[in-house]
Each structure stands twice: as structure tokens, then as C-alpha cells.
Amino acid sequence: MQGVLLVTGGSRGIGAATARLGAAGGYRVCLNYRGNRQAAEAVVADIRAAGGEAIAVAADVADETDVVRLFETVDRELGTLTALVNNAGILEPQCRVADMTTERLSRILAANVTGSFLCAREAIRRMSTAHGGKGGAIVNLSSVAARLGAPGEYVDYAATKGAIDTFTTGLAKEVAGEGIRVNAVRPGIIHTDIHASGGEPGRVERLQDTVPMRRGGQADEVARAILWLLSEEASYTAGGFIDVTGGR
Ligand code: NAP
């Protein structure tokens, strides 16, 4: 594998695993993060220590000015973008729909949906043959929650992932003829910090018996599906979804 890979939300969890695996496979990697510089720099240091090339760029994917600066930094420091992983995403504390505020809904829609659209827009402007580019691949992070709905926990989050599914389907068809393959991965319950940010650090342990494989997944197991979709091994796969859920 070669080329330039941008992973949004690459400082921790699934994004960090994807950045590490991508760098090991030969990509020059930009890992984006929102605020946790220490975590981002630790991933960059690991990649460089292993002989890879990586930079970390702070940017809020929900902020258009930040996104434009993020992509311009990639252009300048790594070269022409060939792969984007729209991974940055947030949960809000577990809550019923009856208790959801407008502020909460705005935050989650902006980070999970608007952020993915803005990053895809910038990627398309660089990759699309209709814009003078040489093609590329985009992988969006959806969730099994798009199918299950996350009742009593975060229906808002699940709905943003439903939006990502539709976004993936539509965008894949829109740009397939312009050299860009767009696909999505739908993780199940994966061991990362995101559950703590939803207010339940032990969520994986509570729910793992509901998973047919009787365990939570590891970030690396999701990263491998993402890297496959980005690779030439997936050269005829567009508008596809890989569920990485232990059978859930
Ligand atoms: P995580 O461990 O909570 O890490 C989130 C990452 O996203 C961090 O790098 C964070 O940066 C970054 N981030 C958050 N908001 C951002 C923003 N507005 N702009 C830029 N970066 C932002 O998350 P994860 O569990 O790895 O999840 C990654 C993706 O997989 C998400 O889209 C999530 O919805 C999806 N997913 C996860 C699971 C699961 O069980 N873990 C299941 C299904 C789907 P900082 O470090 O700077 O905060």
C-alpha cells in the first residue's frame, strides 16, 4: 500500500489503530484529533519509531475553517490525498429521547454527520477525476447502532449513524465514476474510550454476553476491515458495508 491517508479522530481508539496499521502498510498518515494532543503525538511517535511517516493535526471536523486547514496541511506536508477515513465521532451521555436538548442534538449532528460531509467534500475536490484528481478511496465509520437504534441509550447517536449509511450509499454512487470508491464499516461493541464518554465505562462488559461471539471487539479488528476497503484488494467494492460486530 502506498499513498496519503487521512484518519479523522486518529488519536485514540479505532482511528489510532487505523493510523498505525495504515502506516505499517506504507501510507504516509495524517491523524487528526480534536483536543487530546498528547494521545495524538503518542501515536505519531509510535509510527515514526516503527519507521513510518505520520503527522498529527488538531482540527474540529464540525468546523469548516478547521477542515479546510486540515486538508491544506495534508496537501503541503504529505502530498496528494489518496485515502480518507471519516472516523471522528462522538457520543453524548446516555439519555432518553424525551430528555434530549437542542444543544445536544446540534453537537452530535455537527460532529458525526456534518463533519463527515465536510471531510468528504474536501477529499473529493482532491481525488475526483472530475476535479483533475487521480482517484482514491473513502471509508466512513457507521455503527451497528444504525440497525439497532440504541433505545434508552442514545437514539440520537444511532440516527447519526443511519445518516452515515445513507450518505455512504449516495456518495458511493455519485463518485464511483470519478475514480473514488466509498464504503463504510459498521463496528459493534469495541473496547475504546467512547463508552466512558457516553457515561458507562463498563458498557462492553455489560453487553458482551449479547454478542454471538461473547466478547467485545478490539480496535485493530475494525482497522483491518477499514484498511481492506481502502486497498486495491477491494477494487470493485463501492457502496459496501462491512459489519465488524462479532455476529451481533
Ligand atoms: P473514541 O475512542 O472516543 O475516539 C474518538 C476520536 O475522535 C478521538 O481521536 C477524538 O479526538 C476524535 N474526535 C471526536 N470529536 C472530534 C471532532 N469534532 N473533530 C475531530 N476529532 C474528533 O472513539 P472510537 O470508539 O474509536 O470510535 C471511532 C468511530 O467508530 C466513531 O465514529 C464511532 O461512532 C464509531 N464506532 C465506535 C464503536 C465502539 O464501540 N467503540 C462502535 C460503533 C461505531 P481527541 O482524542 O482529541 O478527543
Side-chain angles (χ1 to χ4, degrees):
M1 280 182 285
Q2 287 178 340
V4 173
L5 166 65
L6 169 58
V7 183
T8 66
S11 55
R12 294 183 287 121
I14 293 166
T18 303
R20 285 195 174 95
L21 196 63
Y27 283 105
R28 301 193 295 288
V29 176
C30 174
L31 54 104
N32 150 258
Y33 64 103
R34 183 180 47 187
N36 195 335
R37 181 170 173 197
Q38 208 178 356
E41 292 298 346
V43 179
V44 168
D46 284 352
I47 289 172
R48 289 180 181 163
E53 190 175 342
I55 59 170
V57 178
D60 179 350
V61 295
D63 182 304
E64 184 171 21
T65 306
D66 273 16
V67 170
V68 169
R69 176 179 50 76
L70 168 64
F71 279 77
E72 287 174 352
T73 306
V74 172
D75 294 340
R76 197 172 56 244
E77 299 201 15
L78 297 179
T80 307
L81 185 75
T82 56
L84 167 68
V85 180
N86 261 326
N87 167 80
I90 58 166
L91 273 182
E92 294 275 334
Q94 290 164 340
C95 166
R96 288 170 56 87
V97 172
D99 298 317
M100 288 180 185
T101 63
T102 306
E103 291 73 21
R104 171 189 170 114
L105 294 170
S106 299
R107 279 194 301 273
I108 198 156
L109 284 162
N112 293 6
V113 181
T114 306
S116 294
F117 270 82
L118 289 175
C119 291
R121 181 191 78 186
E122 293 303 311
I124 292 161
R125 289 177 180 176
R126 289 159 174 80
M127 295 173 178
S128 167
T129 54
H131 290 265
K134 292 185 174 156
I138 298 173
V139 173
N140 296 323
L141 266 292
S142 174
S143 168
V144 69
R147 282 200 273 106
L148 301 179
E153 293 194 306
Y154 13 68
V155 173
D156 53 352
Y157 169 84
T160 66
K161 295 304 183 178
I164 291 298
D165 283 3
T166 307
F167 171 53
T168 301
T169 300
L171 181 61
K173 292 175 181 171
E174 191 166 296
V175 298
E178 300 170 17
I180 306 176
R181 292 182 304 100
V182 181
N183 293 285
V185 170
R186 278 193 292 237
I189 305 167
I190 311 300
H191 288 278
T192 72
D193 300 341
I194 203 168
H195 309 286
S197 68
E200 190 184 356
R203 183 169 179 268
V204 178
E205 289 69 26
R206 174 172 65 83
L207 290 174
Q208 61 192 4
D209 283 347
T210 68
V211 177
M213 287 178 70
R214 300 281 185 270
R215 67 173 178 88
Q218 298 297 333
D220 278 346
E221 295 179 291
V222 182
R224 286 198 287 271
I226 295 169
L227 266 294
W228 181 78
L229 284 170
L230 292 178
S231 77
E232 274 305 303
E233 298 293 312
S235 55
Y236 198 56
T237 303
F241 294 83
I242 298 181
D243 285 12
V244 185
T245 61
R248 193 162 177 244

